[in-house]
Amino acid sequence: MSVSSPRQLVEELLNDGGGVLRLAPAFVARDLVPPGRRFGLPEDAYDLGERGFLCERWLGSTTKADNRIGPDDEGLSRVVDSSGRPRMTLRDAVAADPGAIMGEAYAASHPQGLGRLAKLLDYGARIPYHIHPPQRFAELLGRRSKDEAYYFPSGVDAGPHPETFFGVHPWIVREGAYDVLLPYLVDWDSDLILRHSRAELQVPDEGFQVPSGVLHGPGTALTVELQEDSDVFAMFQALNAGRIISKELLFHDVRPADREAHGERFPLNFVEWELNGDPYFYENNHLSPQPIATDGGGAEWWIFYNTPKFSGKKLVVPPGGQHTATENGVYSILVWSGAGRYCGLDVRGGDADRDELLVSHAVAAAPHTVENTGDTDLVVFKFFGPDVNEPPSIKRFAG
């Protein structure tokens, strides 16, 4: 009996799904913050011992989680066949036949692959105040920057701290008082660094963009996140959720030579001070849904936009409705709620085995149908990689 090559297996899986790949859920543990326990899993599924807690689900992921302890494939989505049996990782599928999944032209111009990572974040306490190094620093370690954006779904318990800290007070930048943060990094014994930041409420059905180089401490609202496919960071907050976290996380993406030469001062280089101290930070980074003209069978909104690096939409199809979509290129989906058929495949929100698909370029670029077969709204989130769309921009405010 012959064994299929990876490329042959991709062809087989695409043929079986009519050009669409069904994905198994990819849950990820983190050891810094307790879980929010809103994934609908059994209570004993969230505590993973020395690995920490199950706090994230990665969607359409070709990115491995950079965890201290965990399986080699943590964070990688798996493609399943029509019987639900995992056959290969999505990363291996894209590598084996990028043209079939991404389209030949797009694959040729984007050799890094899908280039984006979607997540569900489910934390029971605020994530520590941290930063993602800009590209000029990430590339020193052979990595990529991590611009990201958030959307807060409605109808979900927001947890005890539904607010996110962003940036620093404008006076710090105006006065050039950048060293005001340094003592907290040196002493590494409190959460008082937050006194120099500003908190914004996590409002349901709204969100924020967070460019690399912006300090932030996300709150406890269940969050849909879309970002560049990277897992780089530097923690700036020592005390969080009642315990002191490892100071090694301040230097997570700092070269040993830079740490040796500059110590705690080096991660301050990651801070894009003008962005952090923008007095119009809210206005220039707040995301509210932007309506998209549709065929009348459903309603769509941009929920991730203002950047060429990734984009995302929310689709709502009413009971008994049928929506026809045509997209610019490959994308993945999460069915948030409701039941129906997506490109002919059965889907159901809240069922982790039936709620996630990747739509190949060939199918995405042709008219394809989304049907609601249930008695409640079918709500779907769509995730696109770099340069697939030309989404709207935020009207910029300036002082």
Side-chain angles (χ1 to χ4, degrees):
M1 179 177 175
S2 63
V3 177
S4 297
S5 70
R7 189 183 182 94
Q8 290 171 326
L9 181 54
V10 171
E11 181 180 355
E12 173 189 323
L13 291 166
L14 285 171
N15 286 339
D16 287 349
V20 177
L21 301 176
R22 190 181 290 280
L23 305 177
F27 292 107
V28 171
R30 297 299 198 189
D31 61 2
L32 294 178
V33 184
R37 302 179 184 273
R38 290 166 291 190
F39 284 151
L41 301 173
E43 281 298 303
D44 59 0
Y46 293 96
D47 189 344
L48 300 179
E50 64 178 347
R51 290 176 57 198
F53 302 97
L54 197 158
C55 296
E56 301 185 6
R57 178 180 170 186
W58 291 16
L59 307 163
S61 170
T62 58
T63 307
K64 183 186 178 301
D66 189 6
N67 282 340
R68 179 177 57 89
I69 301 173
D72 291 340
D73 61 352
E74 187 170 16
L76 295 175
S77 293
R78 289 192 170 274
V79 183
V80 300
D81 59 24
S82 56
S83 68
R85 179 166 60 108
R87 301 297 301 278
M88 66 194 311
T89 67
L90 181 58
R91 181 168 69 177
D92 287 345
V94 172
D97 199 344
I101 293 174
M102 300 167 58
E104 296 293 348
Y106 185 79
S109 61
H110 293 78
Q112 76 275 18
L114 296 174
R116 86 293 172 274
L117 172 60
K119 299 177 178 177
L120 284 178
L121 306 180
D122 177 33
Y123 286 95
R126 189 179 294 108
I127 298 174
Y129 190 58
H130 66 283
I131 197 166
H132 304 298
Q135 181 60 29
R136 64 185 183 279
F137 290 103
E139 65 190 19
L140 296 177
L141 290 153
R143 298 175 183 169
R144 298 182 62 194
S145 60
K146 187 186 171 186
D147 290 15
E148 61 189 27
Y150 312 136
Y151 171 80
F152 313 117
S154 59
V156 186
D157 177 70
H161 295 288
E163 62 279 326
T164 295
F165 283 91
F166 289 112
V168 297
H169 291 300
W171 74 265
I172 294 175
V173 178
R174 186 175 62 246
E175 302 297 326
Y178 309 136
D179 279 2
V180 71
L181 302 184
L182 185 58
Y184 304 99
L185 307 184
V186 173
D187 295 342
W188 203 254
D189 60 2
S190 77
D191 58 2
L192 294 180
I193 194 170
L194 293 175
R195 62 166 49 131
H196 299 296
S197 185
R198 299 164 289 178
E200 301 289 354
L201 192 64
Q202 295 176 311
V203 176
D205 201 34
E206 297 183 5
F208 291 94
Q209 66 171 15
V210 188
S212 297
V214 170
L215 287 156
H216 56 292
T220 55
L222 189 73
T223 300
V224 182
E225 178 179 323
L226 188 56
Q227 58 162 88
E228 294 182 89
D229 60 342
S230 175
D231 200 16
V232 295
F233 64 86
M235 291 294 176
F236 274 46
Q237 178 183 338
L239 175 64
N240 191 71
R243 68 185 183 96
I244 300 294
I245 65 176
S246 172
K247 193 172 185 178
E248 291 302 308
L249 298 180
L250 172 64
F251 301 102
H252 184 269
D253 290 291
V254 174
R255 295 181 300 183
D258 292 326
R259 179 177 181 176
E260 178 68 24
H262 304 287
E264 292 87 352
R265 184 178 294 278
F266 190 82
L268 288 175
N269 292 317
F270 299 162
V271 181
E272 301 283 23
W273 292 105
E274 293 298 326
L275 291 178
N276 281 266
D278 181 1
Y280 296 100
F281 185 92
Y282 176 90
E283 291 80 1
N284 290 331
N285 294 280
H286 174 248
L287 301 172
S288 58
Q290 301 297 305
I292 303 169
T294 66
D295 63 1
E300 281 194 312
W301 296 263
W302 291 108
I303 56 173
F304 299 113
Y305 52 93
N306 199 55
T307 175
K309 294 184 176 182
F310 48 75
S311 57
K313 301 177 180 181
K314 180 174 75 169
L315 166 65
V316 178
V317 181
Q322 180 171 301
H323 171 73
T324 300
T326 305
E327 301 292 359
N328 293 325
V330 60
Y331 69 98
S332 62
I333 69 162
L334 173 69
V335 180
W336 179 250
S337 62
R341 294 181 65 80
Y342 205 103
C343 300
L345 299 182
D346 290 327
V347 293
R348 183 177 296 275
D351 181 347
D353 294 322
R354 312 296 291 177
D355 65 358
E356 195 177 345
L357 304 173
L358 183 133
V359 182
S360 69
H361 172 85
V363 175
H368 51 285
T369 302
V370 184
E371 305 170 74
N372 185 334
T373 60
D375 55 8
T376 61
D377 283 347
L378 177 63
V379 180
V380 179
F381 300 130
K382 302 181 179 184
F383 308 112
F384 302 86
D387 309 313
V388 173
N389 295 312
E390 294 183 7
S393 299
I394 297 173
K395 179 183 178 182
R396 183 159 184 82
F397 285 76

